[in-house]
Amino acid sequence: MKNVLVTGGAGYIGSHTCKALAAAGVQPVSFDDLSGGDEALVRWGPLVVGDLRDTARLAATIKQHAVDAVIHFAGRIAVGESVAAPWLHYGANVAGSLSLLEAMRQGGARHLVFSSSAAVYGLPDVPWVSEEMPLQPISPYGRTKLMIEQALRDYAAASEQRAIALRYFNAAGADPDGETGELHEPETHLIPLALAALDGGKPLTVFGDDYDTPDGTCIRDYVHVTDLADAHVRALAALESGDAPAALNVGSGRGYSVREVLTVIEQVVGRAVPICMGQRRAGDPARLVADARRIRQALDWTPAHSTLPEIVASAWAWHRGGAKATRGQVEAA
Ligand code: UFG
């Protein structure tokens, strides 16, 4: 069986992708420092606990498992944190990624699928954002992603390494079988915070209702994490066939406002999310929705689970079941 190294394999998108790889007959080898991920989510292959900046350890792992392809999720994700403590993001996302690229060179691994972000676009003032839009990130987090995208192009021009950067829009939802899901600590994302508010947590703060959108709240493109995982499996195949574009948006192409998300949650769960109205959050664009035509064509990918009711229902099932059970295991350990 072919082995693929998955950095951040114990994390949210990483663990869903490990499941998708295993279903495609590929063995995922997770490399994770468990700072943001959870060992309990590593269910589809071995786990190597290590720091991405330990180039020698990474290179040894690549050699030991005869890895030719890497999917690179590990990194810091909170935009606000990147403003307050940019060293954390430059250290993990830039230094960590460069260490991985060097380990791939030393270990002879040629293919990389890189977790990039719609944050590379900054505040695009268009209804649908295509890959051709100017790359003008407004946060240190977004800049770390853009820097690595640029490094990947330079490495590809000078070596055998080939990479594809997947620019995620809003990953959401959970594994339909309840085997993995979102477990961020602290949680900053809209849907899990809204579900926690429904379940006795503190009311959800809506970050602004004075945006230039039909209901005044921000519009985002939510893509089911299972569809996102499928995009990674397809991206690997495209790299192997030598036919991969440098960067692709991964989104559904459909936007929902914060209020629309809250309405769907109420419909799915049967209760209204307790909310309070807050100030705008710095750096939030009014609307961020993917032009997702290129990925559909390049990877023959269609988001099969990314309707908002399906996303919310799977997230709610995970919140009530798997997340509590997994947290319980961690607390009991
Ligand atoms: N929101 C709230 N209250 C909350 C949390 C979020 O109103 O407590 C709103 C946000 O203002 C935004 C929407 O819900 O309008 C979605 O916010 P998330 O924090 O869930 O997601 P973001 O769109 O901010 O972030 C996502 C990814 C980031 C990435 C960014 C690109 O999670 O990693 O898109 O802009 F950088």
Side-chain angles (χ1 to χ4, degrees):
M1 194 190 250
K2 190 173 70 173
N3 294 322
V4 168
L5 186 72
V6 182
T7 75
Y12 172 47
I13 307 173
S15 61
H16 286 82
T17 301
C18 286
K19 178 170 177 169
L21 288 168
V26 175
Q27 159 109 327
V29 177
S30 293
F31 190 99
D32 202 302
D33 67 2
L34 300 179
S35 62
D38 197 309
E39 197 169 350
L41 301 186
V42 184
R43 299 182 173 177
W44 294 276
L47 168 67
V48 179
V49 179
D51 189 318
L52 216 50
R53 280 162 281 186
D54 186 347
T55 311
R57 183 97 193 282
L58 267 173
T61 305
I62 286 169
K63 284 185 194 148
Q64 185 197 339
H65 294 276
V67 163
D68 188 37
V70 179
I71 307 184
H72 177 34
F73 296 101
R76 303 196 76 100
I77 58 165
V79 176
E81 177 193 72
S82 80
V83 177
W87 42 89
L88 294 178
H89 283 243
Y90 284 97
N93 298 3
V94 177
S97 297
L98 294 179
S99 166
L100 173 64
L101 288 174
E102 179 55 26
M104 288 174 66
R105 266 166 44 79
Q106 291 176 15
R110 290 172 303 156
H111 296 147
L112 178 70
V113 182
F114 173 59
S115 296
S116 189
S117 167
V120 296
Y121 296 113
L123 299 171
D125 193 15
V126 290
W128 284 275
V129 188
S130 78
E131 289 85 353
E132 269 80 47
M133 290 295 295
L135 302 175
Q136 296 169 328
I138 57 158
S139 66
Y141 167 74
R143 282 189 278 278
T144 67
K145 293 296 176 182
L146 180 54
M147 284 176 191
I148 296 304
E149 282 201 20
Q150 288 166 331
L152 294 177
R153 286 171 203 247
D154 291 338
Y155 281 48
S159 73
E160 297 283 289
Q161 286 190 5
R162 296 288 175 271
I164 179 165
L166 297 181
R167 296 176 181 156
Y168 310 154
F169 282 67
N170 288 63
D175 174 42
D177 304 324
E179 293 186 285
T180 182
E182 199 159 7
L183 271 185
H184 293 124
E185 193 55 60
E187 187 53 76
T188 61
H189 294 111
L190 175 64
I191 293 175
L193 285 176
L195 298 181
L198 260 180
D199 205 19
K202 66 176 189 338
L204 178 87
T205 303
V206 174
F207 294 143
D209 64 352
D210 57 350
Y211 284 94
D212 185 16
T213 59
D215 67 20
T217 63
C218 289
I219 296 173
R220 293 288 180 277
D221 179 333
Y222 296 89
V223 57
H224 197 294
V225 64
T226 297
D227 289 331
L228 203 45
D230 176 49
H232 291 78
V233 177
R234 289 169 186 268
L236 270 187
L239 282 168
E240 274 161 19
S241 70
D243 192 21
L248 291 172
N249 287 340
V250 197
S252 72
R254 163 111 208 242
Y256 290 93
S257 72
V258 172
R259 279 196 197 281
E260 286 173 324
V261 172
L262 295 175
T263 300
V264 170
I265 293 176
E266 183 172 351
Q267 286 162 356
V268 169
V269 179
R271 282 183 284 130
V273 177
I275 61 166
C276 58
M277 204 47 71
Q279 300 293 312
R280 290 184 177 199
R281 184 173 66 176
D284 266 344
R287 178 185 164 99
L288 196 56
V289 180
D291 175 340
R293 284 176 294 183
R294 190 186 276 183
I295 186 171
R296 285 170 182 261
Q297 202 229 327
L299 302 186
D300 194 21
W301 176 82
T302 26
H305 302 282
S306 292
T307 66
L308 203 47
E310 191 169 346
I311 286 173
V312 168
S314 65
W316 180 239
W318 169 251
H319 176 81
R320 298 307 303 265
K324 284 198 171 133
T326 310
R327 283 207 177 93
Q329 275 171 29
V330 173
E331 273 154 27

